[in-house]
Amino acid sequence: MLPTVPLPRRPLHPSDPVRQWYENELGWATVPGSPLRLAAGLRFDVLDVPAEAGVRALRHLGPVSPVALHASRSAPREDPAARREKWPARHGKRMWLLMAAGSAEELPGLLDWLEWGALALDLTAIGAGGSIEAPLPPGVPEGPLTADGAGTNGPGGSGPQGAAVWLRPPEPGCEVEPSLPTLSAVGGGGGAPDLVRLVDTVATQCHRVRLRRACAQPPAYS
């Protein structure tokens, strides 16, 4: 894998602390527009899974491997701290597991190799050309609601944020790449989390979640 060169620091955004944190503190690329989104495929790819499946895979990540929680846009807005306390019991909660850039392209072949490829699993890989909503950085309060019910991070800010929160936030000043699951870690070399173990665990748990939900459905009568 080619070494990743951090993006150059941009001018500070005093009225946009969320964009400032991602671009200048972490060196992560953001996508123009509102709400603020993070570009995948440059510093990292993303594995999007049900939270109840993702929680079982946390043991395969390092202590500083970034992990975020998010919910559907139709879910009611609530305090980020309250969301952390309720997860993953709240129905519909999703988890973003960050993995090494390029891993999204490897996922279909990896699932086939692990003999999960024939099943419809509730997991999605987001890679080059994709993006995710930027979770609120630690310590940055969610903006006040406007008249139309949307939030704002201040004049000229990134707009409404808060549907996603960090469970394990990235650490400013630390390169994220060494903490991300990668195929090159197969066999335990290099210290990075093993992507194969992560994907196999997530796929197993996604299948179990699907079976539990199917069993919970009331029987259909003709």
Side-chain angles (χ1 to χ4, degrees), residues 94-179:
R94 307 283 299 181
M95 182 177 287
W96 284 327
L97 306 171
L98 270 60
M99 52 187 180
S103 299
E105 297 179 2
E106 304 286 351
L107 185 62
L110 181 54
L111 288 172
D112 286 340
W113 183 71
L114 292 169
E115 300 184 350
W116 287 111
L119 296 178
L121 300 173
D122 185 14
L123 57 83
T124 304
I126 305 169
S131 64
I132 60 171
E133 179 182 340
L136 281 174
V140 175
E142 187 173 3
L145 296 181
T146 59
D148 60 359
T152 177
N153 291 320
S158 300
Q161 300 288 148
V165 294
W166 285 113
L167 177 63
R168 294 181 180 177
E171 297 184 3
C174 298
E175 294 294 325
V176 70
E177 288 80 6
S179 70

Side-chain angles (χ1 to χ4, degrees), residues 39-112:
L42 299 175
R43 303 290 300 276
F44 56 84
D45 287 353
V46 181
L47 190 60
D48 185 342
V49 302
E52 55 187 311
V55 67
R56 302 292 184 181
L58 294 180
R59 68 181 186 275
H60 295 307
L61 299 175
V64 296
S65 299
V67 177
L69 298 169
H70 69 103
S72 64
R73 279 294 183 181
S74 60
R77 293 167 64 87
E78 58 184 337
D79 179 73
R83 280 195 296 271
R84 291 191 186 96
E85 291 174 0
K86 292 180 180 179
W87 86 274
R90 184 175 163 199
H91 180 69
K93 183 72 72 177
R94 307 283 299 181
M95 182 177 287
W96 284 327
L97 306 171
L98 270 60
M99 52 187 180
S103 299
E105 297 179 2
E106 304 286 351
L107 185 62
L110 181 54
L111 288 172
D112 286 340

